[in-house]
Amino acid sequence: MHENRETSVVPADSTGRTAKAQSHKAGMHAMEESDRGEVPMNQPNKGVQAPAEAGEGRPRPKENTGQSHTPPAQNGPRVSQGLSGVRRAARERKQERFTTLLHHLNVDLLKDSYYALQRKAAPGVDGMRWQEYGDGLADRLADLHSRIHRGAYRAQPSRRVYIPKADGKQRPLGIASLEDKIVQQAVVTILNQVYEVDFRGFSYGFRPGRDPHQALDALNVGIARKRVNWILDADIKGFFDHVSHEWLEKFLQHRIADSRVLRLIQKWMKAGVLEDGERLETEQGTPQGAVISPLLANVYLHYVFDLWAEVWREKVATGDMIVVRYADDRAPRAQRAAEAQCV
């Protein structure tokens, strides 16, 4: 299983990360790295003795096909008492539409979001680097907070670079401005309190406390313990580039009724990209490399695939059926070939 987290190639930093990005023009190279907030390691499930690999952030291999009960993030931005209340409400009232979420986006959360970003990530169109923004951080964040809440915050276009793929093609990567990354990380922290309650257990990609190893463990458990004769490995072609903005907004509105939060997400989706000095409109898709994109992708796939797969497995499949999804990669395993192909 491979993840759709794209980074460009630079010399390894202190975290051991390396990445390389190419400009769309032949022969030109850029030093870039995709930004994402830190994802905490998963803790062993309650009541399950921690195995040897728990020290590496991996719980005991365990089948996980029900709803997610992932605990709030511990290594990223802190979850306030108010946000814990949002999670409780989301868990207890499955049809709740949250109308007042933006007030949770305070200066403390912005500060935590700033520190959750990668220190050596490439700058966006603003040219601002993490260390530079840290000079006078308190004043910068107070101003950013004020602009967000009075409606003066404006999303900037992402700077587009291209990274090489294994097949020799190139994949576009969007580098957001630093303030956009900070605000996106804060919104992700807030929305995770709602969606981590809703997301299904077989969804593993880009979620707090989850990683590719757990997805592989789930595959292993399914093969070893279930009557699995067929495995289908599927990937949605160009998924991040072709997400429908209209449908994504409809899906978000199932749970989010705070118009201010929805407008922020619309600003990021419509901000466009800057490529070779020219601003290009974005009518569809969500930029790969943006902090908000993995969560939006999971929301979209939760409604178009996960809920459908769950019902199809329970009401239509006649044999054993197990699904593991990592972002837009999925691996249904089935007792019967025709049923694997249906999913």
Side-chain angles (χ1 to χ4, degrees):
M1 301 289 289
H2 60 86
E3 54 179 307
N4 280 338
R5 175 180 176 180
E6 307 296 350
T7 58
S8 25
V9 177
V10 294
D13 60 22
S14 59
T15 64
R17 295 177 180 269
T18 59
K20 180 174 186 179
Q22 282 187 187
S23 153
H24 191 49
K25 292 183 177 180
M28 294 184 65
H29 296 271
M31 310 277 289
E32 317 290 351
E33 181 166 351
S34 170
D35 243 296
R36 293 199 55 237
E38 297 176 4
V39 177
M41 292 183 178
N42 189 63
Q43 300 299 320
N45 291 328
K46 183 177 181 180
V48 178
Q49 184 178 0
E53 61 261 88
E56 301 174 359
R58 296 178 59 190
R60 181 188 301 276
K62 180 180 179 181
E63 180 183 0
N64 193 349
T65 57
Q67 280 188 256
S68 168
H69 298 287
T70 306
Q74 299 298 319
N75 290 12
R78 293 168 291 179
V79 176
S80 68
Q81 184 176 357
L83 285 178
S84 297
V86 172
R87 180 179 283 257
R88 285 195 301 271
R91 181 182 297 112
E92 294 168 2
R93 302 190 291 274
K94 295 298 185 180
Q95 303 303 317
E96 181 82 7
R97 297 180 70 234
F98 292 86
T99 58
T100 55
L101 289 175
L102 193 66
H103 72 277
H104 293 289
L105 200 160
N106 53 36
V107 174
D108 286 339
L109 180 56
L110 290 173
K111 182 178 180 181
D112 289 342
S113 300
Y114 166 77
Y115 282 110
L117 298 178
Q118 299 296 334
R119 271 59 167 171
K120 296 187 178 181
V125 297
D126 59 346
M128 180 71 70
R129 294 186 176 273
W130 188 89
Q131 294 86 348
E132 182 183 355
Y133 197 85
D135 295 335
L137 180 64
D139 291 338
R140 290 181 187 273
L141 293 181
D143 176 66
L144 177 59
H145 175 266
S146 175
R147 281 183 279 129
I148 293 169
H149 285 272
R150 70 175 190 266
Y153 163 80
R154 296 290 181 268
Q156 298 190 58
S158 298
R159 184 166 64 88
R160 176 172 286 175
V161 295
Y162 288 82
I163 58 173
K165 298 172 61 176
D167 59 4
K169 297 180 180 179
Q170 293 183 324
R171 177 169 294 175
L173 178 69
I175 309 295
S177 68
L178 187 65
E179 285 196 337
D180 287 342
K181 295 173 187 176
I182 294 171
V183 183
Q184 287 181 20
Q185 179 63 65
V187 170
V188 167
T189 301
I190 294 170
L191 295 186
N192 272 344
Q193 310 315 306
V194 176
Y195 288 110
E196 280 302 307
V197 171
D198 290 354
F199 288 159
R200 272 24 189 186
F202 53 79
S203 168
Y204 289 88
F206 308 123
R207 293 178 57 191
R210 292 185 166 226
D211 57 37
H213 299 296
Q214 293 168 304
L216 291 173
D217 286 343
L219 281 170
N220 180 62
V221 168
I223 293 170
R225 299 183 185 177
K226 298 291 183 177
R227 290 175 293 180
V228 171
N229 299 320
W230 299 88
I231 301 176
L232 176 66
D233 180 16
D235 175 80
I236 302 175
K237 183 178 180 180
F239 170 72
F240 283 88
D241 298 329
H242 297 95
V243 168
S244 166
H245 290 177
E246 179 183 0
W247 278 106
L248 177 58
E249 290 173 11
K250 290 180 180 179
F251 295 147
L252 287 167
Q253 289 171 11
H254 281 300
R255 285 295 241 169
I256 311 302
D258 189 330
S259 59
R260 299 170 301 170
V261 172
L262 294 173
R263 278 198 298 269
L264 282 176
I265 295 173
Q266 290 170 352
K267 287 179 180 180
W268 294 322
M269 290 193 298
K270 302 295 185 182
V273 296
L274 194 67
E275 182 176 350
D276 298 332
E278 181 181 358
R279 185 180 181 278
L280 306 176
E281 299 291 336
T282 47
E283 299 299 329
Q284 61 181 1
T286 178
Q288 297 187 56
V291 176
I292 193 73
S293 291
L295 174 61
L296 297 181
N298 274 331
V299 170
Y300 195 94
L301 289 170
H302 171 73
Y303 286 102
V304 301
F305 178 76
D306 295 356
L307 296 181
W308 170 81
E310 185 176 63
V311 172
W312 193 94
R313 180 177 60 189
E314 293 176 357
K315 297 186 176 182
V316 180
T318 57
D320 282 350
M321 169 66 68
I322 303 165
V323 177
V324 173
R325 180 173 70 77
Y326 195 94
D328 62 325
D329 298 299
R330 59 196 187 278
R333 293 152 293 161
Q335 186 175 350
R336 296 174 173 81
E339 293 180 352
Q341 293 172 349
C342 285
V343 176

